Amino acid sequence: MIEDENYFFNIEEEPENDKVFVLIIYDIVENKKRVKLSKLLLGYGFRIQKSALEATITKKKYRELLGRLPAFASEEESIRVYKIIGKGQVTTFGKKSENEQEDVIII
């Protein structure tokens, strides 16, 4: 039986919202470089598959991330960052993500 996991995100395009939702996927050949990139990316978001991460980060962190990534890609390797704006829904099938995004309220 296939279980599905659904969740929504809403990153508004209004100037007062300082967050972006990004999907980062990579294909890095060299093991040492791949491990280093993986550790870097875990500082921004959480792994959803072996070479894929999701993150909801500030625009400043997004620019910082984009500045750091070119050092990890070469002619044989690639990194793709998808910036998703607006309302969206993610539907997955099979293994559920170990790190689900939760809204945290501090009182």
Side-chain angles (χ1 to χ4, degrees), residues 21 28 34 46 58 71 91 97 107:
F21 179 81
I28 304 295
R34 185 176 53 250
F46 61 92
T58 63
T91 303
S97 174
I107 299 175

Side-chain angles (χ1 to χ4, degrees), residues 15-46:
E16 64 267 7
N17 189 329
D18 190 39
K19 302 279 183 175
V20 294
F21 179 81
V22 294
L23 170 64
I24 307 150
I25 57 174
Y26 58 92
D27 185 14
I28 304 295
V29 177
E30 184 185 326
N31 191 46
K32 186 176 177 181
K33 188 190 298 186
R34 185 176 53 250
V35 169
K36 189 173 179 181
L37 174 62
S38 177
K39 288 179 181 181
L40 170 75
L41 293 176
L42 287 173
Y44 291 91
F46 61 92

Side-chain angles (χ1 to χ4, degrees), residues 53-64:
L53 288 94
E54 290 180 351
T56 302
I57 55 179
T58 63
K59 291 176 183 174
K60 181 179 179 182
K61 285 282 187 188
Y62 174 70
R63 289 187 300 272
E64 174 187 295

Side-chain angles (χ1 to χ4, degrees), residues 58-103:
T58 63
K59 291 176 183 174
K60 181 179 179 182
K61 285 282 187 188
Y62 174 70
R63 289 187 300 272
E64 174 187 295
L65 174 64
L66 292 181
R68 297 177 81 176
L69 294 178
F72 292 93
S74 69
E75 293 292 321
E76 303 86 34
E77 303 164 320
S78 68
I79 303 169
R80 297 176 68 100
V81 179
Y82 295 87
K83 178 180 171 185
I84 303 170
I85 300 173
K87 295 181 182 180
Q89 177 181 356
V90 177
T91 303
T92 62
F93 300 94
K95 182 180 177 184
K96 289 188 175 188
S97 174
E98 294 177 13
N99 297 318
E100 293 185 24
Q101 288 183 331
E102 296 181 10
D103 291 334

